[in-house]
Amino acid sequence: MTVGRLSVLSNVEKRASTSSALRYMDAQPIERPTMSEEFYRIKRLPPYVFAEVNAMKAEARARGEDIVDLGMGNPDGAPAQHIIDKLSEVANDPAAHRYSASKGIKGLRKAQVAYYQRRFGVELDMDREVVVTLGSKEGLANLAQAITAPGDVVLAPNPSYPIHTFGFIIAGAAIRSIPAAPGPDFFTRLEYAMSYSVPKPSVLVIGYPSNPTAYVADLDFYKKVVDFAREHKLWVISDLAYAEIYFGDTPTPSLLQVPGAKDIAVEFTSMSKTYTMPGWRIGYAVGNQKLISALTRVKSYLDYGAFTPIQVAAAAALNGPQDIVEYNRKLYKKRRDVMVDSFARAGWDIPPPEASMFAWAPLPPQLAHLGSMEFSKQLLTEAKVAVSPGTGFGDEGEGYVRLALVENEQRIRQAARGIKRYLQSMGVNSGGEAKAG
């Protein structure tokens, strides 16, 4: 299991290769890519699937239309007042406006260690096993840059949050899809991927509660993941951004609760949804020392860390009263219940998610032929409701749309009324059945 790959040539081969190259350069002009050609990494990125729907949404709002936006997972609330007060207090100190620490200030790393201890019973070394990131998204992308060599094969869920795949694609890797659901097929597909991928995969990405599917995983599943990764010499990257948004009685577990998990894994968490701090851009990577060291080193070249007052306020959030965490959990659960109930009355049955701030909704059977993109466009145009087409999360997301629980209950019911009118116009009764004839 390597972090990089070197091509080894004998001295004779090197001299022959250099001599040949110099003779060729003497005889031929050097051809360079023209400025009209697309850059290599940009060519590896497909057109942004959400761009078309987002553009339509912007145009509709510019015309004065009231769009209920269930598309982007952008929380609509604010952090607890004591967090905002701490930010303001520290920002009034002139010394706080200097460059901060890329790795994260000591107090914040210490607070993250304390969080893992009380929440998961996991002990961490704040100097060697914790790094603060500019949100979990940035952290995942930078870790991909740190540990990926061109041509590496990475196992990632499909459908999944785009950075889980495109962070590695930008770094030069090839992606092999695995199931998003932690069911029986998961390890069968992993075994197949390990047997038939060349070169052998080096990284496994997982994320539960998942975005967009809202799937959850238990500790027994994580134990199997750790055993599999050890056997096949895989690094594991776990995205735990929605750890605190669960709707049952059993709290979301951490992969690092499995004995020996730190030997092969790192885990990302985020302040964004837990504390309603998405724009603050604070996240964490914790776990395996080698991976944390690699990420820390890459970050040291790329950033100076988040604004110090933000880091101090984030520590206050982790160390202070946790009422906001319970409040958000109840808020998203109530919105989930209202959405599932009101949409069902409108004629669209949506499986209730067990966790996260999203519902992963299959298209109404009578309209499945439209595909997720066209269905999303029609919902926006006819029902005045914005959603995210499932294909934006991978080709296996076709037939689904993602609904974000980011509007209040009144607005969700408004969305349901618009959806009911649209479905009826398409010949679907409020009971979910198509009209005869």
Side-chain angles (χ1 to χ4, degrees), residues 175-387:
I175 303 298
R176 179 122 191 183
S177 293
I178 58 172
D185 191 41
F186 185 88
F187 292 99
T188 301
R189 292 269 297 273
L190 277 189
E191 290 281 4
Y192 191 88
M194 295 306 302
S195 298
Y196 295 100
S197 297
V198 179
K200 295 287 186 184
S202 56
V203 176
L204 168 63
V205 182
I206 57 175
Y208 303 100
S210 69
N211 175 10
T213 62
Y215 294 141
V216 296
D218 59 23
L219 203 53
D220 285 340
F221 171 80
Y222 282 145
K223 289 176 181 177
K224 293 177 183 177
V225 168
V226 171
D227 289 343
F228 186 92
R230 283 177 168 279
E231 179 184 352
H232 294 280
K233 297 181 171 57
L234 283 169
W235 293 118
V236 180
I237 299 173
S238 169
D239 186 351
L240 196 62
Y242 299 93
E244 301 301 344
I245 306 178
Y246 56 88
F247 305 135
D249 296 328
T250 305
T252 305
S254 161
L255 174 72
L256 298 185
Q257 289 176 246
V258 179
K262 284 196 294 183
D263 295 339
I264 48 90
V266 291
E267 191 160 70
F268 285 89
T269 55
S270 169
M271 305 292 289
S272 296
K273 313 309 189 298
T274 303
Y275 295 95
T276 322
M277 296 166 61
W280 296 48
R281 307 315 301 139
I282 288 289
Y284 312 88
V286 304
N288 179 266
Q289 293 182 17
K290 186 172 184 178
L291 295 179
I292 293 298
S293 176
L295 173 56
T296 302
R297 186 168 181 179
V298 165
K299 276 177 54 63
S300 71
Y301 282 91
L302 299 177
D303 69 68
Y304 288 108
F307 186 38
T308 296
I310 289 179
Q311 294 198 53
V312 175
L318 288 170
N319 293 332
Q322 299 299 298
D323 306 53
I324 185 68
V325 180
E326 180 66 21
Y327 172 84
N328 282 336
R329 190 180 299 130
K330 291 179 178 178
L331 175 73
Y332 289 122
K333 184 177 187 296
K334 181 62 175 176
R335 290 179 177 180
R336 177 203 69 169
D337 293 344
V338 169
M339 178 180 285
V340 170
D341 178 67
S342 62
F343 281 33
R345 292 174 185 272
W348 188 8
D349 292 325
I350 297 172
E354 296 181 52
S356 86
M357 58 183 293
F358 304 109
W360 186 236
L363 273 58
Q366 302 84 355
L367 303 180
H369 64 279
L370 294 176
S372 63
M373 176 60 79
E374 180 60 26
F375 179 75
S376 299
K377 291 161 68 173
Q378 291 192 19
L379 271 190
L380 182 61
T381 303
E382 305 300 329
K384 310 304 178 187
V385 177
V387 300

Side-chain angles (χ1 to χ4, degrees), residues 2-58:
T2 60
V3 174
R5 186 181 291 115
L6 295 176
S7 194
V8 181
L9 298 175
S10 69
N11 290 333
V12 173
E13 288 172 321
K14 289 178 181 178
R15 287 196 296 271
S17 177
T18 303
S19 176
S20 176
L22 290 173
R23 287 198 301 272
Y24 181 81
M25 290 170 62
D26 288 339
Q28 301 289 336
I30 297 175
E31 293 186 10
R32 302 182 187 279
T34 66
M35 294 183 71
S36 62
E37 292 179 354
E38 208 166 17
F39 296 112
Y40 166 74
R41 284 186 173 82
I42 300 303
K43 287 192 290 186
R44 301 201 76 204
L45 299 177
Y48 195 52
V49 172
F50 307 119
E52 188 172 357
V53 175
N54 289 341
M56 291 175 62
K57 178 174 64 180

Side-chain angles (χ1 to χ4, degrees), residues 16-168:
S17 177
T18 303
S19 176
S20 176
L22 290 173
R23 287 198 301 272
Y24 181 81
M25 290 170 62
D26 288 339
Q28 301 289 336
I30 297 175
E31 293 186 10
R32 302 182 187 279
T34 66
M35 294 183 71
S36 62
E37 292 179 354
E38 208 166 17
F39 296 112
Y40 166 74
R41 284 186 173 82
I42 300 303
K43 287 192 290 186
R44 301 201 76 204
L45 299 177
Y48 195 52
V49 172
F50 307 119
E52 188 172 357
V53 175
N54 289 341
M56 291 175 62
K57 178 174 64 180
E59 291 169 2
R61 284 179 166 167
R63 293 191 298 267
E65 297 179 19
D66 182 16
I67 304 297
V68 180
D69 192 355
L70 306 177
M72 185 177 181
N74 196 7
D76 59 334
Q81 190 59 47
H82 74 276
I83 303 172
I84 298 173
D85 290 344
K86 178 59 68 173
L87 172 71
S88 178
E89 173 193 330
V90 180
N92 280 313
D93 181 357
H97 297 267
R98 306 179 71 181
Y99 290 127
S100 192
S102 175
K103 187 176 182 177
I105 62 173
K106 182 177 179 180
L108 182 51
R109 286 184 282 117
K110 185 177 181 180
Q112 179 68 349
V113 168
Y115 165 74
Y116 258 81
Q117 175 61 55
R118 69 174 180 266
R119 175 67 168 79
F120 303 114
V122 172
E123 295 185 2
L124 295 168
D125 182 324
M126 74 173 184
D127 293 319
R128 295 184 295 175
E129 296 177 337
V130 180
V131 61
V132 178
T133 63
L134 304 180
S136 58
K137 183 176 183 179
E138 176 265 0
L140 282 157
N142 282 348
L143 180 59
Q145 292 286 340
I147 68 174
T148 306
D152 279 355
V153 176
V154 172
L155 304 172
N158 187 352
S160 71
Y161 187 48
I163 200 64
H164 292 163
T165 55
F166 287 104
F168 286 96

